[in-house]
Amino acid sequence: MASPSPTGLLRRGEGMHSASFLSSWKRILLLRETSSLVMLFLVIIVFFSIAPLFLSKENVGVILEIIPELGIVALGITMLMIAGEFDLSVGSVFAFCPIMMALFMTWGMHPVLAVVAALFVGIALGALNGLVTLVFGIPSFITTLGSMLIWRGGVLLITGGWPPPFPTQMSTTILVGKIGILRASLFWFVVVTFLLWFILERTDFGNWMFATGGNQVAARAMGIDVRKVKLANFMLCAFLAGFAGIIQSFRLQTTLPSMGNGLEMEAIAATVIGGTSLGGGVGTLIGTVVGSFLIRIIDNGLIMARAPSYWFRVFIGIATILAVILNTFVRERAKKLRC
Amino acid sequence: MHDHRYLVEMRNIHKWFSGVCALRGVDFAVGYAEIVGLVGDNGAGKSTLIKILSGFYPPDEGKIFFEGQERHFSSPHEARDLGIETIYQEAAMVPKMSIMRNIFMGRELSRMRLGSLGYLDIPRMEEEAMKALQGVGLHLRSPHALVEELSGGQRQGVAIARAMYFKSKLVILDEPTNNLSVKESEKVLEFILELKRQGISSIFISHNLYHVYPVADRIVVLSHGEKIGDFRREETSVEKITKLMVLP
Ligand SMILES: Nc1ncnc2c1ncn2[C@@H]1O[C@H](COP(=O)(O)OP(=O)(O)OP(=O)(O)O)[C@@H](O)[C@H]1O
Ligand SMILES: [Mg+2]
């Protein structure tokens, strides 16, 4: 497969016989996920040695139930960033959709229908981001900075500061039901990861995404409808943000207007830590999954180590910058290795 | 009436850009399996002429015939569907993508379709990409290498291989030897000759007459939006064309 993907390793036919020891090392070093994976292992070891309870069954369960909500949002951001655009409004959509869902239910809508309708609201918000960006030709950073504020304001307006009561008549098993220490949301995270990976790496649409983000002029010259590609990804990204928001509201059994505050920054950090480029055309979903794990593990590990909570932001900041430096540095070095 | 000696014929083409006249009444034709060199000073109108031919702009006046039929291209897509492939130096490739993915960009091979999604047939794309590259004499190690790792000449080769693979009838190259070393330029000239051997016509734009002259069957000279020369190679020489370009 295309080398930006982790699947380069699994290429058929390229045998062990020709690949020397050095070149397989080189391949691993060239993978975009490598530096984030190394950081993840180091962080786990450090937290485990400080607080052995960090790896207890209960705590692993806690970590695994908070990861999907960030991870699903970050996967959407990754797709959009590969296609060359940006979305800062995911945190606001993350709050907007569950509130709409609760509102629909207080109007007497069937719970399943209310969830579906709320997800459509998410898609519509994404389409709006995309259309404004593409029709007026302005940077999506600006469009979504605006819509981030607008939807957050909208959430407060709708709730008037008081969240609608969380409907109790509804079963939440399908999204957040528990089996042992695992929640259903983890399953959904795996499903979303696989589906998006398939679309990105194994379909023509994925190829158009890399082309659109990598060189829009060339993509257009080869007949790719770059606007359609981008619009679809804006919609996908907002849809996933809304979906993750609904998962969180199911888990916490509330819809707070403050949900997802600052989530856009964590999701972008997870994406960048995982090796996706801000410039578009380069990125991997597996890296984003690793980045999401890293962020939530730092979050949880600091609590387990009884560190004051403000350290969280400090560490995420350091991790983000370090991951990008490592990635650039390691790959530059690896390219120079002879094989 | 239309003349069947030509694959493409452009007649009396005019183009204005907000007051600037870029082309004034240019007649331009390309025969079957013919290499036409298009030369002229900066701003002579070469790029404008081929952009009209490849569907980027409509002409303000004039007609275009392709394989004997009059055509009005409203997008580059339409021209490409007819077999007119344009290779721009900067815009031909996505550097961060693999050679294989670049070759099939926008025209991927799929095993099956799920609605509007096509499931890529990667083994076939690998195989066909290698075949296409060998078709122009490019022997690259793997179709998965990134285009950014290729030299400028190799990139031109990949773009030409792509045009050949998709059975283009006319390949337009806008300054393909720009910024290339002597050796790399020679490779590109070799690719262009390979197109001709396979019966594909091409238009080769360059400032360097020493690149155009040895390979072109015919050389067309533009100056200030007008055609001031159209010679078969046998009838002319680099010196004569240079004089013509300098004098008016
Ligand atoms: N999009 C445009 N808008 C306005 N003027 C244009 C545009 N494209 C070309 N021109 C003008 O038309 C004339 C012909 O330009 P063109 O690019 O066709 O020249 P060229 O022969 O390709 O030159 P070069 O060798 O420098 O590439 C120039 O005077 C140029 O300034
Ligand atoms: Mg030009």
Side-chain angles (χ1 to χ4, degrees):
Chain A
M1 274 311 308
S3 318
S5 79
T7 52
L9 267 186
L10 307 175
R11 202 177 298 153
R12 303 163 317 111
E14 289 213 359
M16 304 311 284
H17 58 279
S18 68
S20 65
F21 176 71
L22 192 58
S23 79
S24 36
W25 260 108
K26 179 173 169 174
R27 282 228 205 117
I28 292 171
L29 290 180
L30 276 173
L31 284 181
R32 304 206 143 254
E33 298 87 348
T34 303
S35 52
S36 56
L37 262 174
V38 170
M39 282 170 65
L40 181 62
F41 279 117
L42 285 179
V43 163
I44 291 175
I45 290 167
V46 168
F47 282 132
F48 180 62
S49 54
I50 298 174
L53 274 183
F54 172 70
L55 283 186
S56 67
K57 198 174 155 197
E58 290 71 27
N59 194 51
V60 169
V62 168
I63 293 173
L64 290 179
E65 77 178 9
I66 53 176
I67 281 172
E69 293 155 18
L70 168 63
I72 290 172
V73 175
L75 287 174
I77 295 261
T78 305
M79 294 288 274
L80 185 59
M81 261 165 68
I82 289 172
E85 297 289 343
F86 218 70
D87 190 350
L88 289 172
S89 70
V90 286
S92 301
V93 174
F94 185 91
F96 199 88
C97 288
I99 293 222
M100 290 311 286
M101 173 196 74
L103 206 64
F104 290 148
M105 277 189 248
T106 57
W107 295 347
M109 203 184 268
H110 186 275
V112 174
L113 214 61
V115 170
V116 173
L119 290 174
F120 270 102
V121 169
I123 293 173
L125 297 184
L128 210 60
N129 280 339
L131 287 174
V132 170
T133 302
L134 298 170
V135 170
F136 296 104
I138 61 176
S140 50
F141 188 92
I142 302 298
T143 318
T144 59
L145 178 67
S147 60
M148 168 178 96
L149 299 170
I150 296 169
W151 304 129
R152 184 64 71 186
V155 164
L156 294 167
L157 259 167
I158 291 168
T159 59
W162 291 98
F166 191 82
T168 46
Q169 75 274 20
M170 171 179 58
S171 161
T172 56
T173 319
I174 181 159
L175 288 186
V176 294
K178 271 196 132 169
I179 313 154
I181 57 164
L182 302 179
R183 275 199 192 264
S185 54
L186 191 65
F187 164 78
W188 287 107
F189 183 34
V190 173
V191 169
V192 169
T193 304
F194 178 76
L195 273 180
L196 296 185
W197 176 84
F198 184 82
I199 291 173
L200 186 63
E201 303 285 351
R202 289 289 180 273
T203 70
D204 48 5
F205 187 78
N207 208 35
W208 304 343
M209 283 172 57
F210 280 120
T212 301
N215 185 351
Q216 193 170 322
V217 181
R220 206 184 294 126
M222 296 311 289
I224 294 169
D225 188 343
V226 297
R227 292 165 152 249
K228 204 170 91 182
V229 171
K230 288 186 170 186
L231 185 62
N233 278 293
F234 273 112
M235 289 158 72
L236 174 71
C237 181
F239 164 79
L240 291 172
F243 181 55
I246 289 173
I247 288 178
Q248 185 170 86
S249 75
F250 274 32
R251 178 169 66 86
L252 302 176
Q253 298 278 309
T254 62
T255 50
L256 294 172
S258 62
M259 276 171 68
N261 248 337
L263 184 65
E264 57 285 331
M265 286 308 155
E266 288 172 14
I268 291 166
T271 301
V272 171
I273 287 172
T276 295
S277 144
L278 278 179
V282 171
T284 87
L285 295 162
I286 305 303
T288 297
V289 171
V290 176
S292 307
F293 268 84
L294 190 64
I295 287 181
R296 280 294 170 259
I297 281 177
I298 290 176
D299 191 358
N300 172 274
L302 287 172
I303 296 170
M304 295 302 285
R306 298 173 190 285
S309 64
Y310 47 78
W311 279 106
F312 171 59
R313 289 185 177 250
V314 174
F315 274 88
I316 298 305
I318 293 171
T320 307
I321 295 171
L322 203 62
V324 175
I325 290 174
L326 269 180
N327 218 329
T328 315
F329 181 76
V330 169
R331 287 164 54 81
E332 280 306 311
R333 275 304 175 85
K335 271 186 197 160
K336 292 191 185 116
L337 287 179
R338 303 200 159 273
C339 64
Chain B
M1 262 317 292
H2 176 72
D3 189 334
H4 277 280
R5 281 178 307 167
Y6 295 115
L7 172 67
V8 179
E9 209 185 338
M10 299 174 80
R11 278 204 215 140
N12 192 30
I13 302 291
H14 287 259
K15 184 77 192 173
W16 288 274
F17 288 112
S18 52
V20 183
C21 190
L23 294 172
R24 42 191 116 208
V26 173
D27 293 319
F28 180 76
V30 182
Y32 292 93
E34 187 182 33
I35 302 174
V36 177
L38 183 56
V39 299
D41 216 345
N42 287 111
K46 305 179 297 290
S47 296
T48 307
L49 186 68
I50 60 126
K51 278 186 178 157
I52 290 172
L53 182 54
S54 56
F56 263 90
Y57 320 123
D60 290 324
E61 213 184 301
K63 288 179 173 168
I64 303 172
F65 297 90
F66 189 76
E67 296 186 308
Q69 269 191 41
E70 189 174 355
R71 298 284 182 179
H72 302 273
F73 302 129
S74 57
S75 74
H77 207 102
E78 274 179 39
R80 226 166 48 106
D81 283 347
L82 281 179
I84 301 176
E85 182 105 358
T86 311
I87 301 173
Y88 299 99
Q89 194 162 44
E90 295 309 320
M93 296 277 148
V94 181
K96 295 276 185 201
M97 268 164 54
S98 70
I99 297 169
M100 177 192 88
R101 281 179 175 255
N102 265 287
I103 288 178
F104 290 99
M105 173 169 50
R107 290 178 285 203
E108 292 80 1
L109 306 178
S110 47
R111 284 175 217 253
M112 56 169 151
R113 304 200 63 82
L114 282 135
S116 57
L117 281 184
Y119 174 33
L120 295 180
D121 189 344
I122 289 173
R124 230 182 95 219
M125 279 167 44
E126 285 171 347
E127 214 171 282
E128 298 289 306
M130 287 314 268
K131 252 194 250 163
L133 294 172
Q134 275 153 18
V136 292
L138 253 182
H139 298 282
L140 297 171
R141 216 155 37 111
S142 152
H144 298 288
L146 297 191
V147 163
E148 70 179 351
E149 292 161 9
L150 301 180
S151 72
Q154 287 172 326
R155 286 183 205 199
Q156 291 290 333
V158 173
I160 291 170
R162 174 169 70 188
M164 239 181 232
Y165 178 82
F166 285 104
K167 306 256 179 294
S168 299
K169 293 168 181 158
L170 172 67
V171 177
I172 302 171
L173 301 116
D174 197 352
E175 317 223 12
T177 56
N178 226 1
N179 299 323
L180 296 188
S181 69
V182 177
K183 240 177 117 185
E184 290 276 297
S185 299
E186 268 167 19
K187 265 191 227 157
V188 172
L189 300 185
E190 195 48 48
F191 296 142
I192 295 173
L193 288 172
E194 185 60 38
L195 283 171
K196 182 182 165 70
R197 279 194 282 275
Q198 304 208 6
I200 301 167
S201 309
S202 58
I203 301 172
F204 174 10
I205 299 180
S206 178
H207 281 115
N208 191 332
L209 279 174
Y210 293 94
H211 289 166
V212 175
Y213 186 78
V215 294
D217 298 309
R218 204 147 53 76
I219 295 170
V220 173
V221 189
L222 289 187
S223 173
H224 301 287
E226 279 175 280
K227 185 164 89 172
I228 58 166
D230 190 336
F231 312 101
R232 304 183 52 70
R233 183 183 30 220
E234 306 84 72
E235 322 171 325
T236 188
S237 66
V238 172
E239 290 72 33
K240 278 187 199 163
I241 298 169
T242 312
K243 243 183 231 157
L244 186 65
M245 281 168 65
V246 173
L247 278 182

